[in-house]
Structures are given as structure tokens and as C-alpha cells.
Amino acid sequence: MDLADRVVGSALGLALGDALGAPFEFLRARNVPDPIPALERPWLGEPPGSTTDDTAMARNLMRSLAVRGGLDPADVLERHLAWFRSDPPDVGTLTGRVLRRIADGEAAAAAAQAIWNERGPEVSAGNGSVMYCAPLGLAYANRPEQLLELAPALSALTHVDGRCRTAVSAVTLGVAALVRGEPATDAARAALNAVEELEGGEELEFLVEAVGGSRAIDGPDQGFCLFTAGAAFQALVRPGDAETELRRVVSLGGDADTNAAVAGALAGARFGAESIPQRWLEPLHQRERVSGLAMRLLRA
């Protein structure tokens, strides 16, 4: 498996997990159908196979990384603002509040910090920056030492909570290691070890074992950033293939599209684009655009 297959696989995996989970977003696990009808149901009036804000923001990031040759936070933010002004069907609550303030003229850093100050730590550690961060790991796969600085900066565009920064750091480090061809267990362990001393790092390590078991993730705090990262790494280290694990992550309920998007990004980097079932790719909206952006990122 070559580098291109892993890079494209991660990008498509993110979009696929997003589309797979979207129709079941915010359901309790007991209300998720078994078996899951994969890419057969509409989402917010959009046809089956449609993606959400997770993939839209990931595309913004990929475009920016490809054009700028690396992470340019100001450029990423401008792309997010242009998307936000286009009145998309779905924008995360905290992300929307921050982007609205920036669109109204407030400085970006001040807007993100102000929202955190207003809402407080109990509700400010959402997964809105984790859901789209994987392309940063693709871009810096051979420069992973930079991710512990760049990943928090990416998160802080909208999510300044330390746990969000930790989750983004872990996911991007994991993606980078997988793209380099490291075994899944080694990639997960290295990523978790790298963030262990950061805020929420120990909790994340616990949640990799606990989500879906002793810690349900379909309750009131279902959008918690560490739930999403924990579910994704749990799927990575389990023995199942990408299809099996993505279905299982969605079956846990809660923020199913985001949890599956991040799990899909890791799985795609591990197994490559060739492993993705064709019957899932065919109904996936904008699959060619996503794979094309991944190839632009690879060339850059």
C-alpha cells in the first residue's frame, strides 16, 4: 500500500463515516437500527450519502493546506467564514457562535476565547475541531514533531478548551503515524502517549477502553471531544475491518456522524482507499471532490 492510497483513504474514510452516521445523529444507542441501513436514509432533507459540516470543514482545511503548503490558520479561518456565510444546512453550535462573532468583525482569537468564557468548561469542549482535523495529520505525516504545536493552533480557531486541543493533537498524530505505515496499535499508543500529560490526556486514554461500555456516549454530553477521539482510537485498535468498526461506532449512538468521521479518517489511513467497499463509495456525495483534494494535498 502506497502513501497516496493511505492519504486518499483517510480523506474518503472521513467523508464516508460522516455520511454513514448522519441520519442517526443524536439518537440513543437503543434507537439506532440493527443492522444499520448504510447510506440509505436522507439527512436533513438531503439525499442518502450526503455529508455534513464535518466533511465541509475538512475540505476547507485540505484546500488551505494544499494552496498554502502547510497550516495557515488565517487562511483556514477565511475558508470557514466563506462556508459559514453560504448558509450551510448544518453548523455546530459552538463553531457557529464563534464564526458569527468573527463575521461580525470581532478578532478571531478574542471571539473563540469569549465564547469559552461565556459558556464555561462544562459545555465548551465540543468535538467541532476534532471532527475535521485529520487532514492536518496527512499534511504533516513526515513532520509529526510539528503537530504538537500546529494541532492546538488549528483547534483554537473555534475551540480553545484544552481538552479539544489535546483531542486534535492525538488524532492528527495518529493519522500521521498510520499514513507513514506504522501498525495500528503502535500508532495509537504513540499518539496517546504524546498527549498523556496534556489536559484531558489521561481521560482520553481511559475512554479508548470505556466508550460504549462503562461510558455511554449517547447522553447529554454526547458531543464531548474526548468521546469522539476515544471512540475513533477504540475502533482503530480493535480487530475488525473498517466497515465493521464504522458500523459499530455509529451503533453507539450520540454524535454518530462525527464519531464515525474521525474513526473513518483513522481507518482509511490504516487500510487505504482500496479497502473501502465500492457499494459505499458509489452513493457517497462529492467523493471525487474529496479524493481530488486529497491528491492535491499529497502533491503539495
Side-chain angles (χ1 to χ4, degrees):
M1 192 185 310
D2 63 13
L3 180 66
D5 194 41
R6 293 185 187 277
V7 169
V8 174
S10 182
L12 286 174
L14 187 156
L16 186 61
D18 182 18
L20 181 69
F24 313 106
E25 185 180 24
F26 305 139
L27 292 184
R28 289 283 189 171
R30 62 178 178 270
N31 295 325
V32 178
D34 182 20
I36 291 170
L39 306 179
E40 297 174 14
R41 294 189 177 185
W43 167 76
L44 295 183
E46 300 294 326
S50 296
T51 56
T52 77
D53 54 337
D54 303 41
T55 303
M57 295 183 77
R59 291 200 309 266
N60 292 342
L61 177 58
M62 284 194 285
R63 290 189 187 98
S64 180
L65 288 165
V67 170
R68 304 297 295 174
L71 180 64
D72 181 340
D75 185 74
V76 174
L77 186 59
E78 281 302 316
R79 294 172 190 276
H80 287 343
L81 285 170
W83 163 76
F84 179 69
R85 293 183 179 113
S86 73
D87 193 26
D90 182 40
V91 182
T93 301
L94 194 148
T95 297
R97 291 187 183 204
V98 172
L99 293 180
R100 171 59 62 196
R101 293 179 76 127
I102 299 171
D104 289 342
E106 190 167 345
Q113 187 63 53
I115 293 297
W116 190 93
N117 293 341
E118 290 174 7
R119 292 167 60 86
E122 293 302 317
V123 292
S124 295
N127 55 21
S129 59
V130 185
M131 68 186 190
Y132 77 92
C133 71
L136 183 66
L138 302 178
Y140 286 84
N142 291 317
R143 296 170 287 172
E145 68 282 353
Q146 297 184 40
L147 288 172
L148 285 173
E149 177 182 352
L150 297 177
L154 176 66
S155 178
L157 293 178
T158 52
H159 292 65
V160 301
D161 192 279
R163 293 161 293 178
C164 300
R165 300 180 193 221
T166 295
V168 170
S169 297
V171 169
T172 55
L173 284 166
V175 167
L178 292 165
V179 166
R180 294 194 304 271
E182 295 184 15
T185 302
D186 293 350
R189 175 51 49 202
L192 294 171
N193 285 346
V195 302
E196 185 177 13
E197 300 300 321
L198 302 178
E199 184 177 354
E202 290 186 356
E203 185 177 4
L204 174 57
E205 185 173 18
F206 164 75
L207 288 172
V208 172
E209 297 286 340
V211 292
S214 61
R215 288 292 298 274
I217 59 174
D218 60 349
D221 54 352
Q222 59 191 256
F224 183 36
C225 61
L226 298 184
F227 279 176
T228 293
F233 278 107
Q234 183 185 81
L236 176 64
V237 299
R238 284 170 57 92
D241 60 15
E243 179 178 348
T244 299
E245 287 305 310
L246 286 179
R247 287 181 180 274
R248 188 188 62 82
V249 168
V250 172
S251 76
L252 299 178
D255 201 353
D257 61 322
T258 294
N259 297 339
V262 181
L266 290 171
R270 176 187 181 185
F271 294 111
E274 292 300 320
S275 70
I276 298 175
Q278 190 62 32
R279 69 183 186 283
W280 281 13
L281 281 179
E282 288 176 358
L284 178 64
H285 284 218
Q286 301 191 11
R287 63 186 182 278
E288 293 181 358
R289 180 176 296 182
V290 170
S291 59
L293 283 170
M295 290 303 297
R296 284 182 61 190
L297 185 59
L298 181 69
R299 288 192 294 270

